[in-house]
Amino acid sequence: MTTPQHHAATPTGLSRRSVLTAAGLTAAGAALQGSWGASSAAAAAAPAIFYSPHQDDEAIGMAGSILEHKAAGRPVYLVLVSKGENGGIAENLNRTQCFLGSKCSAPGHTHDLGWQEKWPTPEVVSARTSEFNASAKALGVDKVINFKLSDTAYGTESEYEAFVKKIMNKVRGLIEQYPKASHKFAAGWLDTTKPTDPTNATHKACSDAAFWLHDNGELTDVRFNHIYTYEAFSRGQRDRGADYVLNIPSAHMKKKRAAILAYNTWDPNRNLYTTGYHSVPTMLEEAYSDPREFVYGLPSNYTPGRGK
């Protein structure tokens, strides 16, 4: 990983306290407002539920927010939305010589694992999930929930829509079980490696699910963390448009870095094969060195649908 660098930034929008105790959005297009606040101890103790589209998203762009809620005394539940089937990771780990060179943590920087490269890539799913669990442990979350949804967001339009509905149904179960919980998703409409490229379909499906549940009045307390900002934008541009910039305290940043390092650990005895680092090395490195996270409300012009 890169050497940590600390950059001062001025928070915008909500204070840290008001983000943690916000009662919820009043309309689909409402901006985050610092005047919100939970009035009862029961509301303050309700869980904060974070939804990670894939294994690694929680460490990259949600870990500081998770730790902030933990420090405020709230239980934190971490959800893994999709299985994370990814043939590209299998291809990378099937190479004898690693494309990462000396950055690869495998002995001799070589692997040649012989994993299945075609869907459903069982070895990739298993190893990525082991890294996710190690990351969750480093963050000290109170509960890990795995939706185990096959990642069909990149299929046909009907498959994408069906995937959104599956997420919605899973989230409905948690809304029913934890009626006072707050819900934190990836800002899927922003999650692209380049501003000119389509959004990541799985991330967009997660924010679409949140949008429809909010639009239906089923989900009231919802916010979104921008994950891909660490690759799409330079450090000075990452806070653009954010309703709240979280400046992560050094003690929390240490734990976030431990969560990130779960994705660059080679330990076959624990089913850890650096799958995250062989997938999104730039994002992991940039998130490791930038002690900020970026939180959004639903924009007034939100458009559901893949690539929108």
Side-chain angles (χ1 to χ4, degrees):
M1 291 295 175
T2 55
T3 302
Q5 300 177 29
H6 296 277
H7 293 262
T10 302
T12 59
L14 286 172
S15 68
R16 293 175 66 217
R17 178 177 176 82
S18 59
V19 159
L20 295 180
T21 60
L25 295 172
T26 56
L32 300 180
Q33 297 295 323
S35 60
W36 296 344
S39 59
S40 70
I49 305 178
F50 286 79
Y51 299 85
S52 183
H54 301 105
Q55 305 91 333
D56 67 29
D57 295 315
E58 84 297 335
I60 292 168
M62 295 179 167
S65 301
I66 287 170
L67 292 163
E68 183 181 39
H69 283 75
K70 286 284 294 178
R74 294 193 67 181
V76 173
Y77 301 164
L78 178 59
V79 175
L80 175 58
V81 174
S82 76
K83 292 181 180 180
E85 303 98 329
N86 189 318
I89 294 175
E91 290 177 13
N92 288 336
L93 287 168
N94 285 343
R95 297 180 184 181
T96 298
Q97 190 62 42
C98 184
F99 76 97
L100 292 169
S102 62
K103 289 184 177 182
C104 178
S105 61
H109 316 306
T110 60
H111 10 77
D112 194 16
L113 294 180
W115 284 0
Q116 182 174 315
E117 296 180 7
K118 294 184 179 180
W119 189 91
T121 62
E123 297 94 345
V124 169
V125 172
S126 177
R128 293 188 81 184
T129 304
S130 293
E131 292 173 3
F132 179 84
N133 289 332
S135 170
K137 184 176 181 180
L139 295 173
V141 302
D142 297 280
K143 181 181 292 188
V144 173
I145 300 166
N146 191 342
F147 282 173
K148 296 182 180 180
L149 295 178
S150 291
D151 194 349
T152 54
Y154 286 92
T156 64
E157 286 297 325
S158 61
E159 286 175 321
Y160 174 84
E161 292 172 3
F163 183 61
V164 172
K165 291 178 181 178
K166 288 178 182 178
I167 298 172
M168 290 174 65
N169 287 333
K170 291 285 190 179
V171 175
R172 281 190 179 108
L174 294 179
I175 293 171
E176 181 177 352
Q177 190 172 0
Y178 308 106
K180 295 182 179 180
S182 62
H183 300 261
K184 327 290 183 181
F185 295 82
W189 69 96
L190 298 171
D191 278 346
T192 175
T193 53
K194 296 179 182 178
T196 56
D197 288 350
T199 56
N200 181 293
T202 310
H203 289 225
K204 185 58 164 56
C206 288
S207 62
D208 276 6
F211 168 80
W212 288 119
L213 288 168
H214 185 273
D215 195 55
N216 294 342
E218 299 174 69
L219 191 149
T220 57
D221 191 345
V222 59
R223 272 168 295 286
F224 303 84
N225 285 48
H226 191 182
I227 310 298
Y228 274 57
T229 188
Y230 301 99
E231 185 164 350
F233 298 106
S234 64
R235 190 183 297 266
Q237 295 179 309
R238 288 173 187 160
D239 61 349
R240 51 192 290 166
D243 292 288
Y244 172 61
V245 178
L246 169 62
N247 290 280
I248 306 171
S250 58
H252 290 184
M253 197 63 194
K254 183 178 180 180
K255 292 182 179 180
K256 173 168 180 166
R257 288 175 178 141
I260 289 172
L261 288 172
Y263 291 97
N264 191 24
T265 298
W266 187 275
D267 187 352
N269 290 329
R270 292 193 290 153
N271 200 33
L272 301 176
Y273 292 92
T274 72
T275 58
Y277 201 54
H278 285 82
S279 174
V280 287
T282 299
M283 272 195 281
L284 287 165
E285 289 179 351
E286 289 297 317
Y288 186 95
S289 66
D290 188 346
R292 298 175 299 166
E293 288 178 359
F294 310 91
V295 183
Y296 291 76
L298 279 168
S300 59
N301 62 346
Y302 188 90
T303 305
R306 184 169 60 185
K308 298 179 182 180

